[in-house]
Amino acid sequence: MIYSIAKIILKVLFAIGLRMRVEGAENIPAEGPLVIASNHLSLLDPPVIGVASTRKVHFMAKQELFVPILGDLYKILGAFPVRRGGADRAAIKHGIDILKNNQVLAIFPEGTRSKTGKLGKAEPGALMMASKALATIVPCCVVGTDFRRQGKIWPKVTVRFGKPIYFPADAVVNKEFLHDMTEDLMQHIAKLQAGEKI
């Protein structure tokens, strides 16, 4: 209930303040475990993706953001803390549990925000959590949330969702398989960033 109210308020604010537009929302499966994998430009990306999605989205956020009041708001919006600088096993387990409960987890395969706006390399194991639940993966691209870096006062933000990527039923999930699947995913995100419909 609180999440729905917060989403409605943010949707109005983003429509006015960010002139936000959403493309490809029909590509988001209505049910089942789902990973939304996106490029990463700014701290606005998680709430923007959450508002654009047709389902409630959970996402990892660095532990430092969970300060009084703001931290409570992040939790309402589906965020959970992760410690940086190493493998946070508790956060990883929580992410896997979210997927095994047929919910939606947003990830940023690059692992950090882009300083140039260009798509960087994906971190090893970016799709590890998705593989544990055989989750469907929807590539996503956010454009324009880095408006401060671009020196814009009234930004125009676009969120694009691509066609779902599925784990083959007979796949042997190992490091090589996850590497190839991650490379394929990043190519999809790059095409979305270039404005191609996939």
Side-chain angles (χ1 to χ4, degrees), residues 11-150:
K11 191 170 186 178
V12 173
L13 291 176
F14 289 169
I16 298 170
L18 302 179
R19 292 186 287 173
M20 192 172 94
R21 186 178 62 184
V22 180
E23 299 174 4
E26 68 276 5
N27 291 322
I28 299 173
E31 57 187 20
L34 175 66
V35 166
I36 294 175
S38 176
N39 64 322
H40 197 9
L41 300 177
S42 85
L43 292 176
L44 272 174
D45 296 340
V48 161
I49 291 170
V51 167
S53 173
T54 54
R55 295 170 61 184
K56 181 176 180 177
V57 178
H58 301 268
F59 53 91
M60 292 182 178
K62 60 183 180 181
Q63 195 171 33
E64 294 84 350
L65 293 176
F66 288 82
V67 295
I69 301 176
L70 272 180
D72 293 331
L73 177 60
Y74 291 141
K75 287 178 181 177
I76 289 171
L77 293 173
F80 59 97
V82 59
R83 293 192 311 274
R84 298 189 299 173
D88 186 339
R89 294 184 183 278
I92 291 170
K93 182 182 182 303
H94 186 63
I96 293 170
D97 288 343
I98 285 169
L99 294 173
K100 286 187 174 179
N101 286 322
N102 292 320
Q103 297 179 52
V104 183
L105 177 68
I107 65 167
F108 301 103
E110 297 164 281
T112 188
R113 285 169 281 161
S114 171
K115 294 179 180 178
T116 64
K118 294 181 179 179
L119 193 63
K121 282 194 74 174
E123 285 195 343
L127 295 182
M128 186 274 296
M129 287 185 289
S131 71
K132 297 292 184 182
L134 293 181
T136 299
I137 303 159
V138 168
C140 174
C141 176
V142 178
V143 179
T145 53
D146 56 343
F147 58 91
R148 287 187 178 177
R149 183 179 57 79
Q150 296 178 15

